[in-house]
Amino acid sequence: MHALRQDILPPSGVEFATSLRLTPSTLSDLSTPLNTTTRHEFAARTLCNVVVARSNLLRIFEIREEPAPITMQAEDDRERRSKVRRGTEAVEGEVVMDEQGEGFVNIAKSVAQKDTVNTPTVTRFYLVREHRLHGIVTGMEGVKIMASLEDKLDRLVVSFKDAKIALLEWSTAVHDLVTVSIHTYERAPQLMSLDSPLFRAELRVDPLSRCAALSLPRDAIAILPFYQSQAELDVMDQDQMQTRDVPYSPSFILDLPADVEQNIRNVIDFVFLPGFNNPTIAILFQTQQTWTGRLKEYKDTVKLIIFTLDLVTQNYPIITSVEGLPHDCLSLLACSTSLGGVVIITSNSVIYVDQSSRRVALPVNGWPSRISDLPLLPIAPENQSRNLELEGCRVSFVDDKTLFVILRDGTVYPIDIVIDGKTVSKLTMSTALAQTTIPSVVRRITNEHIFVGSSVGPSVLLKAVHVEEEIEEDHEMDAPTAVVQMNNDMDLDSDDDDIYGDSKASEPSTGQLNGKGAKKTRNVIQLSLCDAVPAYGPIADMTFSLARNGDRPVPELVAATGTGPLGGFTLFQRDLPVRTKRKLHAIGGARGMWSLPIRQPIKTNGISYERPINQMENDSLILSTDANPSPGLSRIASRTAKADITIITRIPGTTIGAAPFFQRTAILHVMTNAIRVLEPDGTERQIIKDMDGNMPRPKIRACSISDPFVLILREDDSIGLFIGETERGKIRRKDMSPMGDKTSRYLTGCFYVDSTGLFENSLETTVPMTGPTSTLQAAVNAGSKGQSLILVRPQGVMEVWNLPKLALVFSTSMLATLQNVLTDSHEPPASSLPQDPPRKPQELDIEQILLAPIGESSPQPHLLIFLRSGQLAIYETLPAGEQTDPPTVTRASSLKIQFVKILSKAFEIQRAEENEKGIIAEQKRVLRMFIPFITTPAVGTTFSGVFFTGDHPSWILASDKGGLQLYPSGHSVVHAFTPCSLWDSKSDFLLYSDEGPSLMEWVPEFQLNGPLPSRAVPRGRSYSSILFEPSTSLIVAASSLRAKFASFDEDGNKVWEPDVPNVSDPLCDCSTLELISPEGWMTMDGYEFATNEFVNDISCVTLETSSTETGSKEFIAVGTTVDRGEDLAAKGSTYIFEIVEVVPDPAVSPKRWYRLRLRCRDEAKGPVTAICGFHGYLVSSMGQKIFVRAFDSDERLVGVAFLDVGVYVTSLRTLKNLLLVGDAVKSVTFVAFQEDPYKLTLLAKDIGRVCVMSADFFFAGEELSIVTGDEEGILRVYEYSPSDPDSRDGRHLLLRTEFHGQSEYHASTLIAKRTKEDPVIPQAKLICGSTDGSLSCLTPVEEHAFKRLQLLQGQLTRNIQHVAGLNPKAFRIVRNDLVSKPLSKGILDGSLLSHFESLPIGRQVEVTRQIGTERTTILHDWIGLNSAW
């Protein structure tokens, strides 16, 4: 049986991070956009890049400092100003009248004066690029190589799990990372050992970029030296005839025991130290290992050695050696050059070691004196009760002498290093400063900013600034030197209120001056929150529930995510969630809808005048059109005072397009045979019949309108261009002679208004583009943004023409084949004369084109292309990179821009027969169009995006931190779409779908940062198990908490208890069971287990009962473990709960209310680790056995069958009467259950020793397979085939495929995948949620499609450039010494195959021709498999 494994969601969170100057934007300030107001005169600037990674996901962010958004007070001012009578606003330079009406004139400050105060700024993340790599990242650093001297940019060094180092740099030509080199050590003798998969290679880089180091197993380090100057290169050249163009010299492996010191074994951590002439490494290791039970024999076993690397002579002298460090040392931190030495973090103390081996230790609890003989600093009386645990903490310096320790719960503690003369005398820890996210990496990225990356929740950017603060005379000078800035009113995600709760700030008081002279001041560090990158962390469990978007039920994936205080639920939907606000059948609109903001003239005393233009004005009318009754009907509708809709005008004929014109005072209305100008009330002002002399021209099929220009495209591919004359209020034809012959043919075209200033700043010209503003028309348009016309000729040439002078500024022929980067060819206008016989439409013709801004807070222009074959491509518009060779032909003007492809997707298109003409065919025709929109779904959030109508309706959006995403809309077809603010809401849309016309809005609180729309439900605690109970539509979840643990002797006395306040009880896991309503996510009821009992598994099982008519009912079964300490064996219990309906309390909820009722508790001798049910029976594990039990008289469980299986059962799954048992040691067992007589029969088992975390049935058609996942993330597919001789009469399961998924998953759910044929038994689709937050699926693939895709996979492995030079085939291969060659043939790698969709069409044809198939066939196969669920 064959399958495809693909990622639905990438890993979530941040495990590694580094800051560097990677992209050229970090070298100069970003250009100020044209539309900046006076407030925005401070240009945004990029401080640096932050590159983050989790598992195989690498993301590059820019950290931008930009003007703060307008505060509420400024909004109020603006609101107040808008209430001033129109026409009486103060003009610049005029004094402002007092608004209270007393008539005083405020001369003190005129409007025109500019303040020279500092602009308040905010610092934000912006995603630049992201990649899913064919390797697991284990470290990242920035380095400077010789080329950095020329371009001032850093290079990125990334290390991978299989002992590889890749050197990457940024290329402006492709606007992406390119690989400089890759260095592999996987064949080194150190990696040949069997336990090497358990090892994690750590990457470190010398502060002066002289070399990079990668830790290897068996106490070795791989060293990669970089050249720093030409002189070094010349020396190397004489030694070995090296090529000059590589930035590094040959790498080598340093075997520490052999080359440095023979006692170096069991390396804990190593760092490079700054300020030395040669690269210098401090290494922390433990020659003799010990643990708390052996401290009487061995304690203080950790040692520190500092040695230098002489890369030329390969000599490694030791500078410093320190012994007698505590056995629980965790990590090293290098101090700055002004201080020297290192800081060592242990579980219970912080130790500073200088270069003369002097040690200064700060205990943070009462344990260090009990487990170590290291001399400790005395604890001050006020700190006697301080009791912190440093396991899982992360540490970073914020300046030379202050470091922040962030504990594993996110609490930030500052530690000051106190210097007495030249030596460090003591370390002082202040009180807790703030609560931030749970850290996995902390990086100081600029002098002021600290990045705290989290793998279990949002990652945050903190600002730590030094401020001078006055203190009172009697205030001690060693008071805390760090405070939290309280007035931080940043608009962050909802989760951040929980992360940044009440900070325990130490705000030193300031006294009054009472004539005693100057105040004392001191320097304190002020901490504030800048921004956060959203993440939800690991997926512990998941279930599908039924959610309601308005009235529409949709499947929703509920995942238990995060840990500790960041725990909760994350809800995922496949389509962008929208809900219907009202149905609007009266307006029709099956052929198009346009909601227009037309300014109605106001009459006062009989004189009509226009209201001044306001960008924020709401729409005033809707124009809609239908194809029947023939020849079509158009309606203009507006809103009545009661918010109902009323039709003002009906016009016979079909509308092609409509838009506000003449500064929104008129409607420009394009019909199939005429262009009309309408008054705001729908009466006709002007009509231009589309005639050639007296002959009617072919029908107009499309148009683009951008005040004051109109472009029409006719059915014979000819075009017409019109311009509006403001002084006459009429339109006229515009001369198109610069564009070539007037009979030229064009496929499609659109206008673009340069809202970001990119086109204006990139325009290079030798002729003036705008003449003197003589006419009223020119004067009105002088203030508007630059406009361009984009046209596509039949041969695939795209041209950009600058308006109003019609100058060709950009031309490219690369668009026809969807090349990855489109650059200017500098060609003159192409010729596209009519052909005889007329040209027929081609499959690869460009059917739709649009250039529109897409983004969140700073939208960028994107070029959207749709080919007739169903291929959609989206390009980002960027300033052009450096030209390597000057163009041979030059034009008078050219745009220095390039288009970089960032998304490509293929749709399956069903077209009506071409020869079908007439009314029926016209009504059947599906309009596929790009419609731009701007929406404000929530206060302070505005998205600019594009909606794609047709039979694959999609939203195309981009967020600041998630990049560009394409979401299905959830409708089978959308005929017409328009953003609509007629009902005074900037978040409404009008949509004509298969259900008719309706007014929609987005469901609030959904995040649009990833491939699936998601919503976070923070709960302040994490959950280990979750299920959906279908009969009541409620969620049952088991939370995982921590409680103090105490051991008791036979007499009930505590065996041990803390004797001092800074030594605490140990903690153990405990659980509660919660019944949650998905409507408001409130807990209806719960059950608390004992403080040493935790839930392993919960399941919804159907058991026999006498309380229902059917004789059976669904119950909640729970399996638990009772932890009794290390001296006593663990026990367990099985619980049966029933969900019962009770009378609701009207004060809490007027709706239905439910409670959990405990029906049965059954104690077991061992932990109940997994639980599930056959119909009418409960299956549970206990230790090495599994039991099948019946529920007797609603109060007790009666055993009917049992079977001895492995060592520790991890998973149980049932299908009809078949049972799969996954075991932590003995792999997987396949069992059948029979009722008469009761019996569990062993059918087959796997004889290998594999730790199975999850086992599932997987079927399609007549075939059944068994899929297992282990703790390394390896997927194995087994087959039960008694007819195969290798199965020993069916006793052994046959291992058919091994595939390295690279991330362990505990949560898996099986859903039905229905194909177009819709068989009686649907195919199974397996969805898995991993511990790194990724969501993947396994989909069955038919034999013939599998063979094609497998050949394609081989081609893609060999023929395309992979990021960082990684090998996708090796990434998925599983080492198995029992077979001669890897069993990798049965599962396809979706993350590799997805690259095919984004290849240029020429490459797609070339790759498929090599494997003897068609490009369209492969895309058809891929489209059929590529959906989330």
Side-chain angles (χ1 to χ4, degrees), residues 757-770:
L758 174 66
F759 278 38
E760 186 178 334
N761 298 339
S762 307
L763 187 64
E764 290 190 356
T765 180
T766 53
V767 293
M769 279 294 165
T770 49

Side-chain angles (χ1 to χ4, degrees), residues 61 86 118 137 195 280 342 764 1017 1158 1203 1243 1316 1429:
F61 289 98
R86 295 286 183 194
N118 288 336
V137 176
D195 60 350
T280 302
V342 292
E764 290 190 356
V1017 182
L1158 177 63
L1203 184 70
L1243 297 178
K1316 283 179 183 151
W1429 52 74

Side-chain angles (χ1 to χ4, degrees), residues 1016-1090:
V1017 182
R1019 306 279 295 175
R1021 56 191 173 277
S1022 58
Y1023 292 83
S1024 59
S1025 305
I1026 180 173
L1027 63 82
F1028 177 71
E1029 210 280 324
S1031 61
T1032 56
S1033 296
L1034 297 177
I1035 299 276
V1036 181
S1039 64
S1040 47
L1041 308 163
R1042 308 275 285 165
K1044 286 185 177 177
F1045 179 82
S1047 244
F1048 295 89
D1049 60 17
E1050 291 155 5
D1051 303 330
N1053 302 316
K1054 278 191 183 178
V1055 175
W1056 176 87
E1057 51 188 323
D1059 49 359
V1060 285
N1062 60 359
V1063 169
S1064 63
D1065 278 306
L1067 298 178
C1068 69
D1069 292 314
C1070 67
S1071 292
T1072 61
L1073 195 68
E1074 296 181 28
L1075 183 66
I1076 299 164
S1077 163
E1079 281 184 17
W1081 291 96
M1082 60 179 169
T1083 303
M1084 290 181 152
D1085 195 17
Y1087 181 86
E1088 282 196 23
F1089 298 95

Side-chain angles (χ1 to χ4, degrees), residues 1085-1106:
D1085 195 17
Y1087 181 86
E1088 282 196 23
F1089 298 95
T1091 53
N1092 62 337
E1093 185 173 16
F1094 58 91
V1095 172
N1096 294 315
D1097 196 11
I1098 62 176
S1099 181
C1100 188
V1101 294
T1102 306
L1103 299 176
E1104 290 180 1
T1105 177
S1106 54

Side-chain angles (χ1 to χ4, degrees), residues 212-228:
L214 182 75
S215 62
L216 299 178
R218 297 190 183 175
D219 312 308
I221 297 179
I223 304 283
L224 175 64
F226 297 111
Y227 294 128
Q228 290 302 301

Side-chain angles (χ1 to χ4, degrees), residues 95-107:
V95 288
V96 187
M97 294 293 290
D98 176 28
E99 287 161 17
Q100 307 310 318
E102 285 131 355
F104 300 121
V105 178
N106 175 11
I107 306 182

